[in-house]
Amino acid sequence: MTTALVITTYNRPDALDVVLDSVRLQTVLPEEIIIADDGSGQETANLITQWKSDPEIGRLIKHVWQEDDGFRPGAIRNKAIAASKCDYIIQIDGDMMLHAKFIEDHLKVARPGYVVNGSRVRLTPELTERICATHRMKRLGPISKGILKDRLKAFRCHWLSSLFLDNFKPHKYFSIGCNMAFWRKDAIAVNGFDETFKGWGHEDSDFTFRLSRIGIKKCDLRYAAVQFHLYHKQRGNGEENLVVLRKRNAEGIIKAVKGIDQYL
């Protein structure tokens, strides 16, 4: 099994720099690191060029860019998945600093017929600023002081997380696309992410709902695959997209209306 880490980003090079630094420190590296860039400017491109010369991970990095035409995470994720040569996709956002065993944890639970969500821990603006300035979590003291909420999610214990591997509730398919792992062939089977969702919200849940209709189960991985969400202001509540999601679910749609097949 080969693995690609897909990192979505948009004009936040300071956070992306921290994320790539945390990827470099992983106990297990993926075969590909694909930066799915939703229209960032030259500063991000320069940063990625610098990271491509890194002796640890530079050779693994691919930069997939699309023109800035509003918030289009579905489109750039589809393009990144299409560009990948790997069997398994671990998908994060470009403001998610990773625990050193993040990829290792995901790979330990990878199995056919499942899509997996890991744990996300939201950080305060103050801790986020310090991390972006130093890149050094280890020197910042107890991280619990800088967590906005859900401190328990920062706790990593693999044997405890194994107790929740079959935590499958078919009526609770809402997902977080910033910490998700799935098989590339399964994504292609449902035509990837639906690009007809406009703006922020729920295109990731739509993706997992459609996966459920081809028999893919969802696992919420607790106490493992931990990521730390560098602070940003809330982008919106996604109410319009939630209406679209409910309509698509009522129709029982399996394949994205506008999806990954454009790029294959």
Side-chain angles (χ1 to χ4, degrees):
M1 180 182 78
T2 54
T3 305
L5 180 69
V6 172
I7 307 171
T8 57
T9 192
Y10 173 72
N11 278 336
R12 199 175 175 192
D14 59 337
L16 181 61
D17 198 24
V18 171
V19 173
L20 288 170
D21 203 17
S22 73
V23 175
R24 181 178 61 84
L25 298 174
Q26 291 295 297
T27 55
V28 177
L29 289 175
E31 279 73 24
E32 296 175 332
I33 300 168
I34 303 177
I35 300 175
D37 188 345
D38 190 14
S40 299
Q42 192 60 44
E43 189 176 355
T44 295
N46 292 342
L47 174 71
I48 294 170
T49 297
Q50 292 173 17
W51 271 102
K52 283 185 175 181
S53 65
D54 181 82
E56 299 294 330
I57 65 172
R59 61 186 173 80
L60 307 177
I61 294 175
K62 298 180 181 179
H63 185 195
V64 177
W65 181 89
Q66 68 183 10
E67 186 177 355
D68 186 358
D69 188 22
F71 188 64
R72 296 188 293 152
I76 196 60
R77 285 169 175 162
N78 282 340
K79 292 172 183 176
I81 295 166
S84 176
K85 306 296 184 183
C86 292
D87 307 308
Y88 198 63
I89 306 293
I90 301 174
Q91 177 179 282
I92 67 171
D93 281 355
D95 54 7
M96 300 290 173
M97 184 174 61
L98 308 180
H99 187 284
K101 291 185 179 292
F102 177 84
I103 293 176
E104 179 181 333
D105 286 347
H106 264 297
L107 294 184
K108 282 181 178 177
V109 302
R111 49 183 170 164
Y114 274 79
V115 56
V116 178
N117 271 154
S119 298
R120 174 178 58 163
V121 182
R122 294 182 176 90
L123 302 183
T124 63
E126 294 77 17
L127 182 56
T128 296
E129 183 177 354
R130 292 170 64 193
I131 289 172
C132 287
T134 65
H135 287 214
R136 294 292 180 266
M137 282 283 293
K138 295 178 182 178
R139 300 178 186 175
L140 296 176
I143 192 170
S144 62
K145 294 181 180 179
I147 295 176
L148 284 174
K149 61 179 182 178
D150 298 329
R151 286 173 171 78
L152 191 59
K153 289 184 178 180
F155 177 66
R156 180 192 173 274
C157 180
H158 185 72
W159 71 264
L160 185 58
S161 74
S162 66
L163 300 178
F164 295 92
L165 286 184
D166 291 309
N167 180 34
F168 168 60
K169 298 181 178 64
H171 61 290
K172 291 187 177 180
Y173 253 78
F174 286 86
S175 297
I176 52 170
C178 61
N179 189 346
M180 180 186 289
F182 49 87
W183 296 90
R184 184 175 182 269
K185 66 178 181 61
D186 293 338
I188 292 172
V190 297
N191 202 21
F193 290 87
D194 196 326
E195 299 176 23
T196 61
F197 280 78
K198 302 296 184 183
W200 181 87
H202 302 299
E203 79 288 335
D204 43 7
S205 292
D206 170 72
F207 176 66
T208 51
F209 272 115
R210 288 184 287 107
L211 284 173
S212 74
R213 295 182 192 117
I214 63 168
I216 304 301
K217 295 182 178 181
K218 177 174 172 286
C219 171
D220 291 317
L221 186 60
R222 303 179 186 180
Y223 311 117
V226 178
Q227 59 180 198
F228 301 94
H229 192 171
L230 302 172
Y231 179 82
H232 62 75
K233 292 182 179 179
Q234 183 70 26
R235 293 190 177 97
N237 57 21
E239 283 299 322
E240 292 183 4
N241 280 349
L242 183 58
V243 172
V244 176
L245 174 65
R246 288 170 175 164
K247 181 177 183 294
R248 298 281 169 82
N249 284 345
E251 295 169 349
I253 288 176
I254 292 176
K255 293 198 172 187
V257 175
K258 183 180 180 183
I260 198 172
D261 58 355
Q262 308 165 81
Y263 315 115
L264 296 174

